[in-house]
Amino acid sequence: MSPVLIELCLLLRDFLGDHDLDAELAALPDEDLYHHTTFALSLQHSGRDFTARPAPELAHIAAAVLRRLSTGPLGDTSLRSPQARYATTPTPHPVQIADAPAGHDKPLGALWTSSLLSSGTSMWQWGEQAEFGSDRTLFTVAFDPTAIRLFTIDSPSDYRRLVNRYPRSARGRASVCWSRAAEDLDAVHLTVPGLLTAHHFPITTPHGTATLTGWDAESTAWLRLPPSLEVTPHHRAVEPPG
């Protein structure tokens, strides 16, 4: 089980108890469940054991969480327009993709966006607050979703397929060759289920072991600028959670 899902299950066990989980999770608002998810992910910086490992005692909670995510907006695998983007200026920088150094599998130079919760909150808000404070403005990025060559990471097997399609390897470690991926794809979308199950979860490939790290939220890495791009200020500014 991924360490993100393990930590989320531990949080939910403390928060909801250990009985009638489906009903408790059904009553939990999307924004609260996602906030718990991002908090679980932030524990990677706490110094505790944040590695994938068997956790049979949490399997029933993990199954309930994934059932909850199988329906509703948090489990939606489509890339919805508009997306949210924090930046100092509305004009996106030119996209020039490069491969990250060892230790993180994310495309350098990408344009990053995240989806909006029904409340209008960006799914990157909590990470934005922790990393940048209130220095940047929230913009919405509208585009034509039908014109995008999109790859979606919704599970570890999706990430394995991406690595195998565009492999990059060194010293037994594998990752995505993002410069090659950018020749075929416009964007790669990490969903909420993908964040929970594939992030920090090592997978075995013919090219070595690959681990998706460094994304830290439901997000989309644009390997080229979105088609029919329109950027406007969003009505919500960065706000502290709570």
Side-chain angles (χ1 to χ4, degrees):
M1 189 183 299
S2 82
V4 188
L5 187 53
I6 288 172
E7 295 296 344
L8 177 62
C9 289
L10 291 172
L11 286 170
L12 292 175
R13 186 173 65 182
D14 292 342
F15 182 70
L16 299 177
D18 208 11
H19 302 286
D20 202 9
L21 283 170
D22 287 308
E24 293 285 355
L25 286 168
L28 190 66
D30 283 348
E31 188 158 342
D32 290 350
L33 178 56
Y34 184 72
H35 191 186
H36 285 306
T37 299
T38 57
F39 182 77
L41 182 57
S42 74
L43 294 175
Q44 65 185 298
H45 306 297
S46 67
R48 63 203 296 162
D49 180 17
F50 203 80
T51 57
R53 58 193 185 276
E57 73 283 5
L58 300 175
H60 64 295
I61 305 177
V65 169
L66 296 178
R67 283 194 297 272
R68 165 71 165 78
L69 292 177
S70 65
T71 59
L74 288 186
D76 187 357
T77 61
S78 63
L79 183 60
R80 300 185 299 275
S81 176
Q83 290 276 292
R85 173 178 178 260
Y86 286 101
T88 54
T89 60
T91 305
H93 59 75
V95 175
Q96 295 181 318
I97 298 300
D99 296 306
H104 291 283
D105 197 5
K106 60 189 296 187
L108 299 182
L111 174 73
W112 291 90
T113 65
S114 59
S115 297
L116 291 161
L117 292 160
S118 58
S119 63
T121 301
S122 164
M123 290 198 189
W124 172 238
Q125 173 179 298
W126 293 281
E128 178 73 17
Q129 184 68 28
E131 190 169 345
F132 297 99
S134 56
D135 293 340
R136 304 198 302 179
T137 300
L138 179 59
F139 297 93
T140 53
V141 178
F143 54 90
D144 179 3
T146 65
I148 296 167
R149 297 173 300 172
L150 178 68
F151 190 97
T152 302
I153 302 175
D154 195 50
S155 67
S157 60
D158 291 329
Y159 176 56
R160 180 182 289 109
R161 286 194 299 113
L162 187 64
V163 173
N164 286 335
R165 187 180 300 179
Y166 306 104
R168 179 173 175 249
S169 59
R171 298 184 295 279
R173 306 293 298 182
S175 59
V176 177
C177 182
W178 293 105
S179 54
R180 284 182 54 201
E183 297 173 3
D184 301 332
L185 301 171
D186 297 315
V188 175
H189 176 208
L190 179 65
T191 66
V192 176
L195 181 68
L196 276 175
T197 61
H199 206 268
H200 275 87
F201 187 79
I203 62 166
T204 301
T205 79
H207 315 283
T209 301
T211 307
L212 183 69
T213 59
W215 291 55
D216 292 354
E218 182 277 348
S219 50
T220 297
W222 293 90
L223 309 183
R224 58 188 68 213
L225 289 179
S228 305
L229 174 66
E230 294 183 10
V231 180
T232 56
H234 191 45
H235 68 279
R236 289 175 65 101
V238 178
E239 298 173 1

